[in-house]
Amino acid sequence: MGSDERRARETIANATKVMKTPVSVASSLSDEKTAVLHIETGPLPSSSTAGSAGIFLAIADDRDESHVSRGENAGRTLMHVAVLRSLVRIAAVDKSAGFARDIKLDLSAKNARNLRVAVIVQEADAGRVWGAGFTRLSNQGP
């Protein structure tokens, strides 16, 4: 399908028409060591053939760099974005009800840099993604 541009465009267009599960993520800092994430999702759409889907919380550094000492990039500094540091299944959702919860995020073990937070609703075994939400939070100490 990747080499068939017309078919690829049709597949993408059809995927955007499918009903999704709404996901919202809001963050606030309660102090410089703790953030509170308010996470809400709707239920799985009635069109879903899955009985349930997992809700995953992903924490990533907004950016990072690595200093390469060997190989073809030896001596270079490489810049990276959205470096995943943690991926945790926090709950599940089905067709009958949505999900809402406040989750405390300990920032004391994190480096003082900006973080990305994503919440993903996904069927088991790397199945279909039904919804996703995203926010950023700053862990800049005094």
Side-chain angles (χ1 to χ4, degrees), residues 10-87:
E10 286 175 3
T11 301
I12 293 168
N14 289 336
T16 62
K17 294 176 186 173
V18 174
M19 186 103 158
K20 300 290 183 191
T21 299
V23 177
S24 116
V25 184
S27 65
S28 60
L29 293 175
S30 58
D31 59 46
E32 56 274 343
K33 294 182 181 178
T34 308
V36 177
L37 302 174
H38 181 73
I39 299 169
E40 289 187 36
T41 77
L44 285 178
S46 59
S47 61
S48 168
T49 57
S52 67
I55 301 172
F56 295 89
L57 174 64
I59 308 294
D61 287 337
D62 199 34
R63 56 184 210 161
D64 201 355
E65 62 182 51
S66 58
H67 305 284
V68 183
S69 60
R70 295 183 166 177
E72 65 186 40
N73 289 318
R76 292 186 177 172
T77 298
L78 303 178
M79 302 303 294
H80 312 284
V81 295
V83 179
L84 184 65
R85 299 298 183 192
S86 172
L87 179 64

Side-chain angles (χ1 to χ4, degrees), residues 66-121:
S66 58
H67 305 284
V68 183
S69 60
R70 295 183 166 177
E72 65 186 40
N73 289 318
R76 292 186 177 172
T77 298
L78 303 178
M79 302 303 294
H80 312 284
V81 295
V83 179
L84 184 65
R85 299 298 183 192
S86 172
L87 179 64
V88 180
R89 186 178 191 269
I90 58 172
V93 67
D94 59 25
K95 295 179 188 177
S96 66
F99 167 84
R101 184 182 302 162
D102 286 342
I103 295 178
K104 287 187 178 181
L105 182 61
D106 180 11
L107 301 175
S108 62
K110 309 279 187 257
N111 290 329
R113 55 179 76 158
N114 291 328
L115 299 175
R116 294 180 186 213
V117 177
V119 174
I120 305 157
V121 178

